[in-house]
Amino acid sequence: MSPRVSLKSALAQWPGRRWQTAAVAAVATYVVVAVPTDLIDTPLFSREVPPTWWSFPVLAVTAVLTGLLLATYVSRDPASSGEEGEEEGRKGKFGAAGAIVSFFAVGCPVCNKLVLLALGTSGAMQYFEPIQPLLAALSIALLLWAFVKRATSEDRCPLPRRQTAGAAADG
């Protein structure tokens, strides 16, 4: 079965609460990234360099993928404990890395204190600003890979259900 078909069938099995989680997480991600990077104008933050034309679409795609990825952590079965194996934990790290990289991709190159400390103002404009589109692509690729991997491998190797102390003694 191709990954596209398996992703489509995996998404078809999602309960409504997963879709609700994805929507809420996507909106939250958009706001959490857009406010400090001043893509949403607030009195709390400002930008020295105006946002690029691609910052808003990258942020939108990042928010949607982050929402979908976070929704994969919501159990399909409300009665299950939501246990996570070591393999699933590793996949989550790629998603977290993708979300963090997107923050650097859409942020103002001279407003980021880490970049300024490392490169200075002229270095941020000369070296960091040109790689921001690459960071955006990397961010989206990491989030997409983590989401597809989690969504399509959910039924491949299910974890055994945890036995309660009473059930183990009866068996």
Side-chain angles (χ1 to χ4, degrees):
M1 184 177 348
S2 75
R4 188 173 182 192
V5 173
S6 63
L7 179 60
K8 185 177 179 181
S9 64
L11 293 177
Q13 296 176 19
W14 277 23
R17 60 197 197 99
R18 269 197 180 175
W19 290 110
Q20 290 169 345
T21 300
V24 169
V27 170
T29 300
Y30 193 93
V31 170
V32 165
V33 174
V35 168
T37 59
D38 204 41
L39 294 178
I40 294 176
D41 195 23
T42 66
L44 300 173
F45 299 96
S46 64
R47 278 181 86 106
E48 300 297 322
V49 177
T52 58
W53 66 268
W54 49 265
S55 293
F56 293 97
V58 164
L59 180 55
V61 170
T62 296
V64 168
L65 287 173
T66 301
L68 290 170
L69 178 62
L70 286 174
T72 65
Y73 288 92
V74 174
S75 174
R76 285 190 295 185
D77 177 16
S80 82
S81 64
E83 295 171 10
E84 174 181 299
E86 184 180 326
E87 178 68 20
E88 289 178 345
R90 283 196 299 262
K91 291 175 197 165
K93 290 179 184 176
F94 284 107
I100 291 167
V101 170
S102 73
F103 182 82
F104 288 103
V106 300
C108 170
V110 296
C111 302
N112 187 313
K113 304 298 184 239
L114 295 174
V115 173
L116 280 179
L117 283 173
L119 303 173
T121 304
S122 62
M125 294 301 292
Q126 185 176 1
Y127 300 112
F128 185 69
E129 187 179 36
I131 67 164
Q132 283 183 296
L134 298 173
L135 291 175
L138 176 64
S139 160
I140 290 169
L142 286 170
L143 284 165
L144 184 60
W145 182 84
F147 166 64
V148 169
K149 212 54 168 151
R150 280 194 56 84
T152 59
S153 64
E154 183 174 27
D155 291 335
R156 289 203 184 133
C157 186
L159 293 172
R161 286 208 181 263
R162 199 186 271 179
Q163 290 185 342
T164 62
D170 293 339

